[in-house]
Structures are given as C-alpha cells and as structure tokens.
Amino acid sequence: MFVEDLRKDFYERLIGKRVLVIVNYDVDAICTSKILQALFKYDNMVYSIVPIMGCSGMVRAYNENKDDVKFVLFVNCAGCIDILELLQPDEDMTFFVLDSHRPYDICNIYSESQVQILGAPKKDEENIPDYEQIFQDSDEEDEDDDDDGAEDNSDEDDEQRGSREMNRIQRIEQQLLKRRQRREWEERRNKLMFEYTQFNYYGRSSALTIFELAWRLSKDSIDLLWWAIVGLTEQLLMGKIESASYTLATESVQSHVSRLTNKASDQTIQTSVKIHYENDLHLALYRHWSVLDSLKYSIYPACKMKLWTYKGEKVMHELLVDMGLPLVQAKQTFNAMELELRREFYDKMEKFSEKYHLPDIIYGSFVLQYGYRNRYSAADYVYSMLAILESIKKDRTPETCFLESMDALSRSNKDILDHGIDMCKTLLAAIFKQVQSSLEMHAVYSAGPFLYFILQEEISFFTCPYGLMMLSRFLLNGHVAVSRNRRARELPLIAVAPIDAARGYSLLVGVPPVCEDSKNFFCRAFEQAALKSGATISQDCFEPTVIQIRHADCTKFLDALTVLLG
C-alpha cells in the first residue's frame, strides 16, 4: 500500500522505536540515508544502517537484525520484489519502502499493512493495474451431482426426471461458463502484467522525497538540501531519468534554495555556505581538472567530436583556438588558468556550442560554495562518490567504501571528497582509453536486435556495476557517433566483463538505445533468455539490467537473446 502522508503515517510512527535501515549501494540511496541520519539524531532515535549490494545481502541483513526491530526501512531496494514472499516475516513486522526503481512489485502495492510504499502513487504514469484486474478469489466449482443423475427413482414421473436432467445440464453450463470466464480473466491479467513489467525505469529521487519530509517537519537545512540535490543529480548523470524530468525536479528545488537563503538572511545569520542555481557545462570535473582533459574524458563532448580519433583532436584544438584559450592554459588545472580566461570560459563554450555540434553542453545545475576557495558542483560530488563506491579492493570492503562515500558528503571531510575526485579522474581516463581501443579494433558487434561488447581481460575499473555501466554508455554513444548504420541509434548495447577469472564469472550489463534515455527492457529479456538457453545467471543486483553469468554460458545466452528479441 502507498503512504502519502509521510509525516503522520511514517515518521511519527518511528519515533521512540528502533529502526533498521537497509540501504542499496548507490549515490541517491547514500544521500537519502545521510538525511535520515540527521532526522533520527535530531529526535534521538535508535537506528541501524546496513548497506547491501543485492537480494542475498538484504536477506542476510534482515535475518541478522530482525529480532531487535519491528520497523524496517528499505532505501532504493526491495520495491521491485515480493518482500513478504522473500523474507517470510512475522505478522507484527512492518516494512517501509522508499525505492526509485520501477515498476513496483504488485504484491507490495496491494499489501494491506505490512508493506508500505512511501510516496503518492502515480497510477497513470506507472500504469499500475487495478486490484480486481490482478487478484481474484478462487471460487470452488460446484461438483457434479452424479448421484442425483444416476439415482433410479421409479416413483418419479417423466416430467420430474426431465426437470432433474434440465437442472443438471444448467449446472454443467454454469461451470463451463465460469471456467471460460476464468481463462479470459487470466489472459487479460497476463497481458496487463506483461505491459506493467516489460520496462524497468526510475522514479523520483529518494533523497528529494526525504528532504521534503524534513521540510514538513521543519527540520530542513542547507546541508540536507544539498544532499538531496546530489541524489537528484546522480539520476541525471547515470541516465536514470530524462533531462525533462530532471528540469521539472530542479524547479521545486530552486524554491527551497531561495527559501533557505532568505530564511538565513531574515534571521541575520552570517553564513559562508551558499547554494547557487546556474547554468553549467556537461564537462566532468572541469573545475578540478584541466579543460583539455575534461573535454576529452567527458562522454558528451568526446562522442560529439569523436575525440578518440586524430580528426577529433584537431576539432578540439580548433574549438580552443576559437575560444581564445591557449593550449598551455588548457593543459593547466582550471583554477591555475588566468582569471580572465576562467571568467570567459562558460560564455565562450556557450557561444561556440552550435558551431561544434554541442547543443546540449549546457544544463541547469547547483553549485555549493563555502569559504573562499571551496566551490563544488553537484556533479563533482556525484563523480567523487561513484569513484569511492567503486574502489573495492582486497583491503577495502564494500562497507568501507559505502561509509567513506557517505562521509564525503560532509563539508568537514573535504579531503575525502577531493580524494574521490582524483580517483574519478583515473576512472574516466581508463573508460576513455577502453572506448578508444574498442572502437579502433571494431570490438562492438551487432547481433541484429542489439549490439554487444565482450571485454577479454579482467580490469579492476570494470568489475563493479557502475564502472561497467559508465563504460557501456560511453561505448554505445561512441559507436553511434562513428557507425554508418542508420539503425545504430535504435539499438541497445550489452557489455560483458570478467570479474572472477578463477571461478569463470563475468558481469553483464544492458544499456538502452541512445534514442531512449531511461526505459530499459533487458530485465525480463534476461530472465527469458536464461530459461531458453539454460545459462547460469544471477540477478542478485538491484540494478535490474546488471547480472552475473558464467563466462562459458555467454555465447548461448546471447544467441537465445538474439532469437528472443529478433
């Protein structure tokens, strides 16, 4: 069931109770849990936050903590699976679900009380079927009264026997009618469920939802708003939502920025912390990098100008000449450039964007400024946190990466944020080099209904879901930019990368076509292809289009997928 009044039906129910918060490994979820931490500390609430990477981790976290709690909150996880079926909880356990993944599992939506989904439903947009269309009480069919028909009653006249026979025929006809109606209902139900579940996509940012709860509780602040902005920005940068949805969300965020800024002014509070809404550039980390590197390693300008080619590099140098930006300056860190060049950089990029086919280089973004020298965009935070999350090694557990990524949100931990930015530079450079070598070797193949790419060696940058997803999106856009096939824009891409050579396992990711920004049909297709091919796969990850597969099964799995989608 849906919970629309988050203050009364969710938060106030938790006050004074111990709460278990199970959080998925993504930036939006981390921002959400950071806001929740602030609210819980404000009300002296007892809580436990457990990060998880998949369904098996969720089951383990629940089983380890279920004896101490009666309220469990899932953040960006569990919404798309039948929670009660998976966890088999006691009747007095209540689950709150705050999940941006769509579509929700239909059993969670129509759970009477145990599963409560936070947020108002959008039935029209999400195409949620009505309860009567999906669930139906099974009627016990009337049994044939064979004894009555077989009974030999010599006292009955012909009229009575005829009447009994007529009643028996009517009962049989009614049973046949019920069965036919049941079959028709099941066919309609299967069609509705297919239409409802065929695409996976993302809804509203969970961090933004919890910030608005903090606002209604009168416990919001500049820091909480910033964390919500970072969660929203991650959805845009990772291709989870379309730019139109992002723009609509930023309109409401701008009103909160103005309100909190004016509130501080009205109370004559002198603060050096400010959030600005301004037009920004789709250039990764350019404030903390050189202009040359940011242009080269950012997915949008790199693919538009084909910067992995010699001709593309010449075009980039022509752009710098038109902007009046000397190569010596472009190779320096942005903050080390001459002041006048820094001031003119944005205007010059906007001026020449049409000439160099970069119409979407500009987008509305938020910038956090505190002190005299600290200025970070929301995208800077997202890139830093992604790099920290993906830095899992033998001496760095996933939990360590999660907590360090959460710490990067605090202004007092500027060193962690800067270290994450440096790591992300290395990650983006590795992605670009892999894209360059793959395109030069023509390693992106067409299977007819989709494109596919198989990485032959294990590379640490691409053994985690987000690193491989970023590579896949960059590679698909790069392939579309150089392909002569007109259908290339309409084809999705599947990327496979080894993650455990000793055990023979690989990570497989599916990304939607360039012409479709957010909806992805691969989740259901992967399930059916695995059944048809007999391939061993694991869909443990909450990202619906990320699976683990035995490397030996890849060929037959892709063949089955080709037949299925062809």
Side-chain angles (χ1 to χ4, degrees), residues 396-463:
R396 282 175 59 84
T397 64
E399 290 77 14
T400 301
C401 297
F402 179 94
L403 294 173
E404 191 174 312
S405 183
M406 182 183 286
D407 288 340
L409 285 169
S410 300
R411 286 181 284 112
S412 59
N413 294 323
K414 178 179 176 294
D415 291 343
I416 297 176
L417 178 68
D418 290 339
H419 180 58
I421 287 175
D422 290 337
M423 286 196 294
C424 193
K425 292 176 185 177
T426 306
L427 172 63
L428 293 175
I431 289 173
F432 178 85
K433 289 174 182 175
Q434 185 61 53
V435 169
Q436 183 177 29
S437 63
S438 300
L439 293 178
E440 285 177 353
M441 295 172 63
H442 305 285
V444 178
Y445 302 101
S446 175
F450 61 88
L451 305 168
Y452 68 93
F453 163 75
I454 299 177
L455 196 61
Q456 298 300 328
E457 57 181 328
E458 185 175 333
I459 300 175
S460 60
F461 294 110
F462 311 127
T463 57

Side-chain angles (χ1 to χ4, degrees), residues 130-176:
D130 294 330
Y131 180 87
E132 296 79 12
Q133 296 175 312
I134 302 301
F135 300 100
Q136 186 181 74
D137 295 331
S138 58
D139 299 327
E140 293 185 4
E141 295 182 354
D142 296 326
E143 296 182 358
D144 293 340
D145 194 354
D146 294 332
D147 293 340
D148 290 345
E151 185 180 351
D152 183 15
N153 193 335
S154 58
D155 294 334
E156 286 184 340
D157 56 22
D158 293 342
E159 184 176 346
Q160 288 176 320
R161 284 195 292 272
S163 176
R164 285 172 58 83
E165 183 65 20
M166 184 65 68
N167 291 336
R168 191 176 70 84
I169 292 172
Q170 287 177 347
R171 284 199 301 272
I172 293 173
E173 289 177 346
Q174 288 174 355
Q175 290 168 5
L176 292 173

Side-chain angles (χ1 to χ4, degrees), residues 18-294:
R18 184 181 181 89
V19 185
L20 173 63
V21 185
I22 298 179
V23 186
N24 187 27
Y25 272 73
D26 70 66
V27 173
D28 182 39
I30 292 172
C31 294
T32 305
S33 58
K34 188 74 171 177
I35 299 171
L36 283 167
Q37 269 189 327
L39 294 179
F40 291 164
K41 288 179 180 178
Y42 190 94
D43 289 306
N44 296 316
M45 292 170 59
V46 181
Y47 65 93
S48 300
I49 291 182
V50 183
I52 58 168
M53 297 189 76
C55 291
S56 57
M58 183 180 75
V59 174
R60 183 172 59 252
Y62 172 73
N63 289 332
E64 289 175 354
N65 296 274
K66 66 181 180 180
D67 295 334
D68 302 325
V69 297
K70 296 299 178 187
F71 293 95
V72 180
L73 170 61
F74 296 106
V75 179
N76 279 1
C77 58
C80 303
I81 57 177
D82 189 344
I83 298 173
L84 301 184
E85 177 70 23
L86 181 66
L87 300 181
Q88 298 292 317
D90 296 334
E91 292 184 359
D92 59 349
M93 189 72 72
T94 301
F95 299 107
F96 292 103
V97 178
L98 180 61
D99 195 353
S100 61
H101 296 93
R102 300 290 188 277
Y104 291 125
D105 186 271
I106 206 73
C107 294
N108 293 339
I109 293 174
Y110 291 112
S111 172
E112 293 184 0
S113 59
Q114 273 197 282
V115 180
Q116 304 194 18
I117 302 172
L118 304 186
K122 296 182 179 179
K123 279 199 168 188
D124 295 337
E125 293 181 19
E126 298 177 12
N127 198 27
I128 299 174
D130 294 330
Y131 180 87
E132 296 79 12
Q133 296 175 312
I134 302 301
F135 300 100
Q136 186 181 74
D137 295 331
S138 58
D139 299 327
E140 293 185 4
E141 295 182 354
D142 296 326
E143 296 182 358
D144 293 340
D145 194 354
D146 294 332
D147 293 340
D148 290 345
E151 185 180 351
D152 183 15
N153 193 335
S154 58
D155 294 334
E156 286 184 340
D157 56 22
D158 293 342
E159 184 176 346
Q160 288 176 320
R161 284 195 292 272
S163 176
R164 285 172 58 83
E165 183 65 20
M166 184 65 68
N167 291 336
R168 191 176 70 84
I169 292 172
Q170 287 177 347
R171 284 199 301 272
I172 293 173
E173 289 177 346
Q174 288 174 355
Q175 290 168 5
L176 292 173
L177 179 61
K178 284 182 179 180
R179 290 173 184 169
R180 184 168 67 248
Q181 290 174 341
R182 177 76 181 182
R183 281 197 303 271
E184 291 173 352
W185 178 85
E186 287 177 349
E187 289 174 0
R188 289 195 300 271
R189 179 189 187 277
N190 292 338
K191 182 181 178 182
L192 285 170
M193 286 300 296
F194 174 77
E195 293 173 352
Y196 175 63
T197 60
Q198 64 175 325
F199 291 111
N200 292 89
Y201 57 101
Y202 293 83
R204 197 166 189 256
S205 162
S206 297
L208 199 54
T209 300
I210 290 299
F211 170 77
E212 292 188 349
L213 169 64
W215 167 48
R216 292 187 177 91
L217 293 167
S218 300
K219 297 173 183 174
D220 56 336
S221 66
I222 286 284
D223 284 326
L224 268 61
L225 176 58
W226 180 248
W227 300 337
I229 290 170
V230 173
L232 173 64
T233 305
E234 184 251 356
Q235 288 193 311
L236 176 71
L237 295 183
M238 293 302 295
K240 295 180 178 180
I241 59 173
E242 297 177 359
S243 56
S245 300
Y246 170 80
T247 303
L248 286 173
T250 57
E251 291 177 0
S252 65
V253 172
Q254 287 179 64
S255 64
H256 290 298
V257 171
S258 301
R259 177 178 56 79
L260 289 171
T261 303
N262 294 333
K263 180 181 177 182
S265 301
D266 292 343
Q267 295 175 355
T268 64
I269 296 175
Q270 297 298 321
T271 177
S272 60
V273 183
K274 295 179 181 178
I275 297 176
H276 304 282
Y277 178 76
E278 56 187 50
N279 286 332
D280 207 349
L281 300 170
H282 272 301
L283 297 178
L285 306 172
Y286 74 90
R287 292 180 181 85
H288 315 280
W289 215 351
S290 69
V291 170
L292 203 65
D293 286 337
S294 185

Side-chain angles (χ1 to χ4, degrees), residues 442-504:
H442 305 285
V444 178
Y445 302 101
S446 175
F450 61 88
L451 305 168
Y452 68 93
F453 163 75
I454 299 177
L455 196 61
Q456 298 300 328
E457 57 181 328
E458 185 175 333
I459 300 175
S460 60
F461 294 110
F462 311 127
T463 57
C464 295
Y466 286 112
L468 187 56
M469 288 168 71
M470 292 168 72
L471 170 65
S472 303
R473 291 182 63 235
F474 204 140
L475 190 58
L476 177 59
N477 280 270
H479 175 77
V480 170
V482 298
S483 176
R484 296 179 181 178
N485 184 357
R486 295 181 179 178
R487 290 187 61 241
R489 289 181 55 83
E490 303 170 3
L491 297 177
L493 172 74
I494 290 175
V496 183
I499 57 171
D500 191 342
R503 295 173 58 225

